[in-house]
Amino acid sequence: MSEQEDGEESFAEETLIQAIENQIESESPPAARAVFNKLTLVGYEREDALHLMALVLAHEIEAMLAQDRAFDGQWYEQALRALPTLPDEDD
């Protein structure tokens, strides 16, 4: 992986983590804070919980782009609530 690709990946991850932190702070969706609290309660470090939640958000964004559709908030909340189990790639 080139330095540029590595930098872009790092920027994308930081952007997703920031989006998750904003969701937790604004409680929008409400599941964001609940899931973050659940993950930290069962022993996940803050950074690890945020990373798992960011993976779910990235999965939904990739699906939106691939299928040319709007954000599916219902799927997103269900996938968040399923953590620490990550969504399947073929969902």
Side-chain angles (χ1 to χ4, degrees):
M1 181 179 295
S2 74
E3 279 188 44
Q4 181 179 355
E5 287 173 329
D6 194 38
E8 289 171 2
E9 189 174 297
S10 177
F11 174 76
E13 184 174 356
E14 288 173 23
T15 302
L16 288 168
I17 298 262
Q18 183 62 55
I20 295 296
E21 288 177 326
N22 291 343
Q23 289 177 1
I24 292 166
E25 190 174 315
S26 67
E27 296 188 36
S28 178
R33 180 177 293 256
V35 169
F36 178 76
N37 289 342
K38 176 187 91 170
L39 291 171
T40 54
L41 190 66
V42 298
Y44 283 86
E45 295 292 327
R46 180 180 191 281
E47 293 76 23
D48 294 335
L50 292 172
H51 180 75
L52 282 173
M53 294 173 73
L55 289 174
V56 172
L57 181 57
H59 183 90
E60 174 55 15
I61 291 170
E62 286 177 13
M64 281 173 51
L65 296 173
Q67 299 166 18
D68 193 25
R69 62 166 173 78
F71 188 82
D72 186 342
Q74 184 176 357
W75 179 91
Y76 178 64
E77 285 204 46
Q78 288 175 337
L80 280 179
R81 291 185 187 280
L83 287 173
T85 302
L86 290 170
D88 291 331
E89 288 302 315
D90 56 316
D91 271 357

